[in-house]
Amino acid sequence: MTDGYKNLETNLIHAGERTPRIEGAVNLPIFQSSTYEYSGDDSEQDLRYIRLNNTPNHLVLHRKLAVLENAEDALVTSSGMAAISTALLSVLEAGDHLLIQDCLYGGTHTFIRDDFKSMGLSFDFIDGQAPETWKEKLKPRTKAIYVEALTNPLLQIADHTAVTAFAREHGLVSLIDNTFASPVNFHPADRGFDIILHSCSKYLNGHSDVVAGALIGKAELVEKAALKLIRLGGTLDPHACFLLHRGIKTLAVRVRHQNAGALSLARFLENHPAVKQVNYPGLPSHSRHKEATELFDGFGGMLSFELKDGAEKAKRFLDKIQLGIIAPSLGGVETLLTRPATTSHHTLSPEARRRLGISDGLIRLSVGLESAEDIQADLDHALGA
Ligand SMILES: *Cc1c(COP(=O)(O)O)cnc(C)c1O
């Protein structure tokens, strides 16, 4: 097996690949077999079966993802939510308590809100940008702290250095959802995070044609989560493994192009008379621009903005968009736009959205790989309407 090279671009293509290549095939074929011949050993380790996450298509991805995140081990899952729920359920037991950032991916929010109680788990929200307020929320059974690299949809940035320092000081497992940044822009393991989560449905696959997830980090934690995943059953199918493997190879060129496109569109929107505010960490007007410059290698392909005339104007704006596609999800080759109040955050109550600063007129933009000039012309036309 080929292990890590010095640079990410090379690792995307070569890390974890089988040597020698199987039948000389340049690309790892799809092993469409649920079960495998048993070598005769007594050990359970010897069984190979798709749900055990140990087919050749899984193993290559595990090694590659671990190398990409500078971590010890990795596990792919059937969705981002499978990675998140499996990680939390492998770290927490009945009676345990979790500290979790207040502005979260909608699915993660509803998982802790609606499912924790019946499993005997509890949580408190924390303001990721106010580390001085975390200590008062600690409980004797607090076991973990959970944040997102960049929050959805406001692109806020928690004090990530403080998160891992706090976790070390209080013996907590630190978890981070790194979906929005991708391993091209941010390496949480280098900052001391124990478990890194991804919805691979987004940037890692990058083509809006697969749902998959990953859980990456310290070997002992990944191993525990892998046993939990076998029981919960959130396994990625070999065909989806193949598509994800193929998508990952172009991650660096895609994300860097999206970084550049998003920065130029954020600047354009910030100077547009119809726009009230733009949320993008690459703009000096972002409240944590300085920290973002220090933490990240790029500011990402996601931004959100608010129109001066609120929700009605936002609806009209989306009606006029022609090139961009009005659809949830993100991180693909095509530009996607949504109104989070009606998509990713519709399960939150209107008060909860207001408290988090997600207005009904907020628009989220996932910048694709089209020419930024064409995307800008589309936005400009729709804003003028
Ligand atoms: C999409 C997303 C998820 C959930 O991923 P699925 O693959 O849809 O299950 C989790 N976190 C973030 C930040 C996401 O954008």
Side-chain angles (χ1 to χ4, degrees), residues 34-241:
S34 62
T35 188
Y36 288 74
E37 250 182 341
Y38 183 45
S39 73
D41 215 306
D42 286 341
S43 152
E44 208 208 341
Q45 302 288 326
D46 249 28
L47 298 180
R48 279 198 294 165
Y49 180 63
I50 290 174
R51 186 168 43 74
L52 305 181
N53 310 298
N54 58 5
T55 75
N57 296 103
H58 290 98
L59 298 179
V60 166
L61 281 173
H62 293 167
R63 193 63 218 143
K64 197 183 287 288
L65 287 163
V67 169
L68 296 179
E69 284 286 17
N70 295 337
E72 291 171 8
D73 207 352
L75 178 68
V76 287
T77 61
S78 58
S79 67
M81 280 313 300
I84 292 164
S85 56
T86 303
L88 288 172
L89 296 178
S90 71
V91 165
L92 304 170
E93 288 175 13
D96 286 347
H97 175 252
L98 169 73
L99 292 178
I100 189 158
Q101 194 172 7
D102 52 10
C103 189
L104 286 169
Y105 174 71
T108 310
H109 182 97
T110 45
F111 175 58
I112 59 163
R113 186 192 69 191
D114 297 348
D115 296 305
F116 259 34
K117 201 166 164 216
S118 65
M119 294 184 284
L121 303 172
S122 63
F123 64 90
D124 271 299
F125 286 121
I126 53 166
D127 176 347
Q129 301 181 86
E132 69 284 357
T133 61
W134 301 344
K135 204 166 172 183
E136 68 206 34
K137 305 233 163 129
L138 270 180
K139 299 226 156 90
R141 298 247 342 229
T142 306
K143 288 286 163 61
I145 183 165
Y146 184 111
V147 292
E148 294 184 359
L150 287 155
T151 67
N152 174 23
L154 296 173
L155 287 307
Q156 288 169 343
I157 304 166
D159 190 338
H160 294 311
T161 316
V163 172
T164 52
F166 188 83
R168 271 195 306 279
E169 188 186 342
H170 299 287
L172 313 180
V173 175
S174 53
L175 300 101
I176 185 166
D177 180 335
N178 198 29
T179 301
F180 268 45
S182 94
V184 176
N185 290 334
F186 186 41
H187 289 112
D190 296 350
R191 305 283 168 166
F193 277 94
D194 299 314
I195 297 182
I196 301 151
L197 299 154
H198 280 282
S199 167
C200 302
S201 325
K202 316 294 168 57
Y203 288 103
L204 281 161
N205 178 62
H207 293 73
S208 307
D209 53 9
V210 160
V211 167
L215 186 165
I216 306 162
K218 297 221 165 102
E220 152 206 1
L221 294 170
V222 173
E223 196 181 327
K224 207 167 155 208
L227 294 173
K228 187 66 87 179
L229 187 71
I230 288 171
R231 300 194 288 267
L232 294 175
T235 297
L236 192 63
D237 177 81
H239 186 243
C241 287

Side-chain angles (χ1 to χ4, degrees), residues 271-343:
N271 290 314
H272 198 287
V275 175
K276 186 160 96 188
Q277 196 190 326
V278 180
N279 304 308
Y280 187 66
L283 293 175
S285 58
H286 188 281
S287 66
R288 291 175 60 79
H289 174 65
K290 212 174 108 255
E291 290 85 348
T293 307
E294 192 270 322
L295 280 172
F296 302 145
D297 294 332
F299 301 112
M302 297 298 300
L303 61 92
S304 62
F305 58 98
E306 204 139 351
L307 300 184
K308 283 199 176 127
D309 298 325
E312 273 313 307
K313 174 79 186 185
K315 275 188 222 164
R316 278 205 302 283
F317 165 80
L318 289 180
D319 285 344
K320 290 273 175 186
I321 287 286
Q322 287 172 342
L323 172 70
I325 303 168
I326 315 305
S329 198
L330 58 112
V333 298
E334 60 288 299
T335 292
L336 299 179
L337 295 103
T338 61
R339 209 148 60 79
T342 60
T343 52

